[in-house]
Amino acid sequence: MEALKKRVERSSLPSQRVGTTRMGIINMKSTAKYSSLEKYYLPLKEGEEAHWEVVERILFVHAKCNKGIGYVQGMNEVIGPLYYVFFQHPDVRWKEHAEADTSFCFSALMAEIGDVFTKKLDSAHLGIGGAMRSLMQLLKDKDPVLSKNFVKKGVEPQFFGFRWITLLLSQEFLLPELMRIWDSLFADANRFDFLLYMCCSMIISVREKLIAGDFAEAVKLLQHYPPLDIHKLLCNAEEIRRFHPLKKR
């Protein structure tokens, strides 16, 4: 089968920008100033693959082997850091098997977190709805004042917690920080309980700004989480677990 890369290459045709004057006259505008971008879009050499093609293939195979879930938007965000770690291995012998290793680990990970991607389980205690309810209950136990403030303003976990939980915080932090968080997450026997403790720690760490702001400011802060000390966030998560353990879902 022809590679997707080849089909994309054929669509790279020279073109001109079309503009319309105030009098409705259509004219062509020069694209000379955009020619400097061409170096970023040169076709790969014969036999070479882009990283996105490798990730695409892994996701395609996974979707075909797990038709109950298929592909859900966001899975690519979870697989990205895994592939990065394997492909950046200093030993070439390990690096050559980055695709296979990523595929295996991604399948193992999805076997554990697949419920939050399953639409039929959205409202069940095992799905994303149950996870977000547990997060809000954890916040209520840890900080009743902030919890009441959320209720008063109408700040629902769907506005931020959905992405945090399903994508394992992969969109909230820079990659080096995410690697540190995932080290603690995957090393934990109750790793997805720890994820909720970490989410709660993130909320508590910006509580003053959340309380001071209105609905829009609070949601914006949570959807664009500010850079904070990762070590401190992890320590706070451990403290929350020690004094406010989650009830069994």
Side-chain angles (χ1 to χ4, degrees), residues 50-186:
H51 294 303
W52 67 263
E53 292 180 286
V54 178
V55 172
E56 177 193 47
R57 186 163 53 242
I58 296 172
L59 291 170
F60 177 81
V61 171
H62 183 270
K64 287 295 184 181
C65 293
N66 298 271
K67 293 186 178 181
I69 300 178
Y71 173 75
V72 180
Q73 185 177 4
M75 288 181 176
N76 58 307
E77 304 293 351
V78 176
I79 201 175
L82 295 175
Y83 176 66
Y84 174 84
V85 169
F86 286 117
F87 188 79
Q88 292 297 321
H89 200 286
D91 191 326
V92 177
R93 293 172 298 176
W94 287 85
K95 187 176 180 178
E96 288 177 349
H97 302 288
E99 181 176 351
D101 291 339
T102 302
S103 181
F104 178 84
C105 290
F106 178 69
S107 295
L109 179 57
M110 289 306 299
E112 296 191 50
I113 69 172
D115 288 345
V116 299
F117 284 97
T118 305
K119 188 174 181 180
K120 292 181 179 179
L121 296 177
D122 279 357
S123 300
H125 70 284
L126 293 174
I128 184 61
M132 290 191 293
R133 287 192 294 271
S134 295
L135 174 58
M136 290 298 99
Q137 182 60 50
L138 190 61
L139 178 63
K140 184 177 180 180
D141 294 341
K142 171 62 179 176
D143 194 329
V145 175
L146 182 55
S147 177
K148 289 179 180 178
N149 185 267
F150 270 26
V151 173
K152 182 180 178 181
K153 292 176 181 174
V155 178
E156 299 288 345
Q158 291 87 339
F159 301 141
F160 61 94
F162 187 95
R163 187 176 73 188
W164 289 9
I165 296 169
T166 55
L167 304 187
L168 305 180
L169 301 175
S170 62
Q171 290 294 287
E172 316 313 317
F173 299 94
L174 297 175
L175 187 58
E177 298 171 338
L178 181 66
M179 294 294 98
R180 176 63 188 89
I181 293 171
W182 278 20
D183 275 345
S184 294
L185 183 67
F186 294 148

Side-chain angles (χ1 to χ4, degrees), residues 189-216:
N190 299 311
R191 57 180 63 101
F192 301 110
D193 283 353
F194 180 79
L195 175 62
L196 297 184
Y197 294 127
M198 184 65 184
C199 290
C200 187
S201 171
M202 291 168 61
I203 298 172
I204 299 295
S205 296
V206 292
R207 73 180 304 275
E208 301 303 327
K209 292 182 179 179
L210 290 171
I211 292 175
D214 58 15
F215 168 82

